[in-house]
């Protein structure tokens, strides 16, 4: 719950007030009111975030960190204020531990690129089986270049990582463990605190892909003692094209720079260049200034509702939808465990997820179908993909009723 | 100019005034599409760019090209069955030249998102590629 009355809405969690903040929720799709259940792909944006973008371009637009003029200073202050908001949201110890990136994929690539210099032949990286391709491929690339080996931490039938296997996989060669906090394909929550502690005992570092977690679960990077944590603003009601890499200060200082350019340098001579300190060392070029400022607005917005209230509402939606969908004959839910965020990945026996998703779309219901950029998960279950309905705090039980009747209707058309 | 088969398809789809009837028709077509033998369900015949799998093959008999296809999704099968009706039985040369505007006219492209439309585009492209190959063979 939010502690200060200043940041709380007077009436607490009001779904009507919240929905009024999101203009897109009032449009129609295919002639029907939009039911948006593709929140795991990207969340919708409240007016407050849209206003932040418009305000910046209308009143503050200037390049940051270098102009002596007032506008540049104002834009710099707004951008750096966003960094402070992000730091406090994730409880990072130092503001320079927050690197603003273009998103989770960029954040992971930034670290993976640095590890190309830190890994040696025979070193090992442990990767979870249920990772998004973005948390697999950059490590494969780093392994290809260094001769390091990628080890897969397997999951069980419910999509939960096998911790016994993890302990067996960990050894003195393990340099890094990379797993998500929440699986994008299944919504299952991984026991990252245990994973971090076990890895640290072995002297390995841990990178957590938090893209699917950070707008649903309170994340405290300091308490977790995580080494690197990544997320994307657009999954947190913020704009696309901006995200965050958190890294422990001493680790980021030791990590080689990623892209070269302006902003990230201290002095440039043709004989050699010295790099700027954190966070700018990893922020080459003019950043997504408007996006960064609006990321801050999104954090403010989430704070104003409170992550506890968000999690409570989303869990109610999850339980309600799970019960309703389970009533449908031959419907299989993947990763149906108590510890999960509001994501339901399902199939109906004998039906292709594409067919079900196409018909739901005709009814104005947006779900994701396919492999969800997590092909190994689909291969594990031996399926071409799933239908994934993912809920956010602005969704309602009435919308879930539409999903359930929509799935029933699709089944009757297809069977 | 639409081919005669294309004109017939347009007239047939014009009968449906809501999406549900149209999709029920597509699903019906999908269910009645003659299957291709499992031996052809290989990567060689797989069309890339679709969310569902589509296998397509073509034969030329007495100067005319005949397609057969299968998919693991019913609506996709319905769509490919419409395409087969539009092109099968024509000469390779005619298929290469045949317009594809009928897809828009039957309202399929409107109802297909870019990802799905890419699947549709890939199917047409593959059909035309087969025809181009046969046409080149015929000229050789």
């Amino acid at each position: 719950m939010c502690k200060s009355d200043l940041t709380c809405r007077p009436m607490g969690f009001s779904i009507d007030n919240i929905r009024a903040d999101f203009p897109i929720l009032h449009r129609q799709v295919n002639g029907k009111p939009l039911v948006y259940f593709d929140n795991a792909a990207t969340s919708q944006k409240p007016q407050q975030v849209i206003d932040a973008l418009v305000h910046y371009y209308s009143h503050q637009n200037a390049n940051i960190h270098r102009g002596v003029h007032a506008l540049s200073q104002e834009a710099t202050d707004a951008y750096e204020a966003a960094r402070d908001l992000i730091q406090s949201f994730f409880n990072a110890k130092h503001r320079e531990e927050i690197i603003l990136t273009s998103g989770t994929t960029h954040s992971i690539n930034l670290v993976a690129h640095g590890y190309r210099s830190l890994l040696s032949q025979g070193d090992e990286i442990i990767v979870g089986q249920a990772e998004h391709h973005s948390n697999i491929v950059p490590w494969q690339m780093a392994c290809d270049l260094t001769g390091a080996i990628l080890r897969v931490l397997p999951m069980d039938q419910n999509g939960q990582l096998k911790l016994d296997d993890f302990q067996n996989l960990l050894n003195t060669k393990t340099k890094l463990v990379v797993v998500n906090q929440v699986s994008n394909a299944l919504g299952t929550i991984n026991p990252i605190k245990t994973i971090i502690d076990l890895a640290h005992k072995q002297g390995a570092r841990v990178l957590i892909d938090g893209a699917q977690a950070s707008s649903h679960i309170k994340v405290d990077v300091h308490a977790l003692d995580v080494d690197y944590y990544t997320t994307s603003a657009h999954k947190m009601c913020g704009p696309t094209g901006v995200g965050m890499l958190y890294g422990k200060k001493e680790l980021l200082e030791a990590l080689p720079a990623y892209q070269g350019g302006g902003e990230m340098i201290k002095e440039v001579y043709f004989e050699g260049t010295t790099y700027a300190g954190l966070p700018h060392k990893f922020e080459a070029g003019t950043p997504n200034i408007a996006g960064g400022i609006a990321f801050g607005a999104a954090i403010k917005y989430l704070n104003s509702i409170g992550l506890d209230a968000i999690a409570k509402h989303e869990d109610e939606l999850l339980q309600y939808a799970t019960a309703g969908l389970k009533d449908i004959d031959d419907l299989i839910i993947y990763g149906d465990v108590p510890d999960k965020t509001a994501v339901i990945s399902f199939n109906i026996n004998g039906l292709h997820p594409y067919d079900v998703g196409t018909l739901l779309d005709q009814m104005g219901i947006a779900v994701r179908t396919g492999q969800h950029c997590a092909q190994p998960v689909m291969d594990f279950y031996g399926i071409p993909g799933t239908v994934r309905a993912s809920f956010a705090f602005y969704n309602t039980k009435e919308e879930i009723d539409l999903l359930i009747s929509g799935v029933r209707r699709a089944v009757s058309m297809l069977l | 100019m639409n081919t005669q088969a294309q004109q017939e398809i347009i007239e047939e789809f014009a009968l449906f005034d809501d999406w549900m009837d149209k999709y029920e028709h597509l699903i019906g077509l999908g269910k009645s599409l003659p299957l291709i033998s499992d031996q052809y369900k290989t990567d060689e015949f797989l069309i890339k760019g679709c969310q569902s799998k589509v296998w397509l093959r073509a034969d030329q008999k007495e100067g005319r090209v005949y397609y057969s296809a299968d998919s693991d999704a019913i609506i996709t099968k319905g769509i490919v069955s419409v395409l087969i009706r539009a092109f099968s039985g024509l000469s390779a040369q005619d298929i290469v030249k045949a317009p594809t505007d009928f897809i828009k006219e039957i309202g399929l492209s409107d109802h297909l998102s870019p990802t799905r439309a890419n699947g549709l585009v890939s199917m047409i492209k593959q059909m035309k590629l087969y025809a181009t190959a046969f046409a080149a063979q015929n000229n050789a």
Side-chain angles (χ1 to χ4, degrees), chain A residues 138-362:
Chain A
W139 305 111
Q140 284 177 327
M141 292 161 87
C143 287
D144 281 351
L145 283 165
T146 57
I149 300 155
L150 203 61
R151 300 262 182 231
V152 180
L153 168 55
M155 63 180 200
D156 64 19
Q157 275 299 322
N158 292 321
Q160 291 178 307
L161 293 175
K162 293 181 174 173
L163 284 184
D164 289 346
D165 288 21
F166 182 52
Q167 279 174 302
N168 294 332
L169 278 171
L170 276 169
N171 67 71
T172 49
K173 290 180 197 156
T174 313
K175 288 288 174 292
L176 194 65
V177 177
V178 296
V179 289
N180 56 48
Q181 185 170 7
V182 172
S183 153
N184 78 306
L186 306 171
T188 45
I189 301 173
N190 287 322
I192 56 166
K193 181 61 185 153
T194 309
I195 288 171
I196 292 164
D197 290 346
L198 288 171
H200 283 175
K201 266 189 205 156
Q202 193 56 253
R205 299 294 180 190
V206 181
L207 178 139
I208 299 291
D209 167 1
Q212 294 296 334
S214 46
S215 64
H216 309 285
I217 301 169
K218 178 73 194 148
V219 175
D220 182 329
V221 291
H222 188 61
L224 282 170
D225 195 26
V226 64
D227 300 301
Y228 303 99
Y229 190 93
T230 63
T231 198
S232 299
H234 75 94
K235 308 231 195 240
M236 307 173 63
C237 296
T240 52
V242 64
M244 172 204 82
L245 165 67
Y246 159 82
K248 283 179 183 162
K249 195 175 166 189
E250 65 276 17
L251 296 180
L252 289 178
E253 275 165 354
L255 193 72
Y258 178 41
Q259 291 174 320
E263 190 81 38
M264 56 80 72
I265 42 85
K266 194 170 163 196
E267 288 179 301
V268 177
Y269 303 102
F270 283 111
E271 294 73 28
T273 290
T274 51
Y275 300 134
L278 293 173
H280 306 297
K281 170 182 159 188
F282 292 110
E283 295 182 352
T286 297
N288 182 351
I289 304 169
I293 293 170
F295 188 3
I299 298 263
K300 266 193 207 165
Y301 184 79
L302 292 177
N303 281 339
S304 77
I305 297 166
L307 272 187
D308 287 345
I310 286 173
K312 184 170 172 280
H313 180 75
E314 289 178 349
D315 195 56
E316 278 172 24
L317 295 178
L318 174 69
Q319 303 311 330
Y320 185 72
T322 304
L325 287 170
K326 274 184 174 171
D327 260 356
I328 297 172
D329 289 342
D330 291 327
L331 188 140
I332 311 146
I333 296 177
Y334 303 94
D336 185 19
V337 291
D339 233 6
K340 65 186 283 192
T341 55
V343 172
I344 303 180
S345 209
F346 67 94
N347 272 328
I348 292 126
N349 242 337
L351 298 186
H352 197 285
Y354 165 84
D355 287 327
V356 179
T358 302
L359 295 177
L360 287 174
D361 176 51
Q362 290 300 312

Side-chain angles (χ1 to χ4, degrees), chain A residues 354-355 362 369 409 414-415, chain B residues 20 31 51 74-76:
Chain A
Y354 165 84
D355 287 327
Q362 290 300 312
T369 62
R409 195 171 172 195
L414 289 163
L415 278 179
Chain B
M20 211 168 139
K31 284 180 179 167
Q51 235 192 54
I74 301 172
I75 295 171
T76 313

Side-chain angles (χ1 to χ4, degrees), chain A residues 30 32 350-359 361-363 367-370 384 409-410 412-415, chain B residues 18-24 27-28 31 51-53 71-77 79 110-113 116:
Chain A
N30 289 325
K32 285 137 200 120
L351 298 186
H352 197 285
Y354 165 84
D355 287 327
V356 179
T358 302
L359 295 177
D361 176 51
Q362 290 300 312
M363 302 174 216
V367 292
R368 174 87 182 263
T369 62
R409 195 171 172 195
S412 70
M413 285 176 75
L414 289 163
L415 278 179
Chain B
D18 82 348
W19 71 269
M20 211 168 139
D21 292 345
K22 190 185 286 182
Y23 273 84
E24 272 178 342
I27 290 164
K31 284 180 179 167
Q51 235 192 54
S52 47
K53 285 188 173 165
S71 170
D72 55 353
I74 301 172
I75 295 171
T76 313
K77 265 169 88 169
I79 292 168
D110 293 350
H111 283 292
L112 297 171
S113 78
R116 298 171 202 159

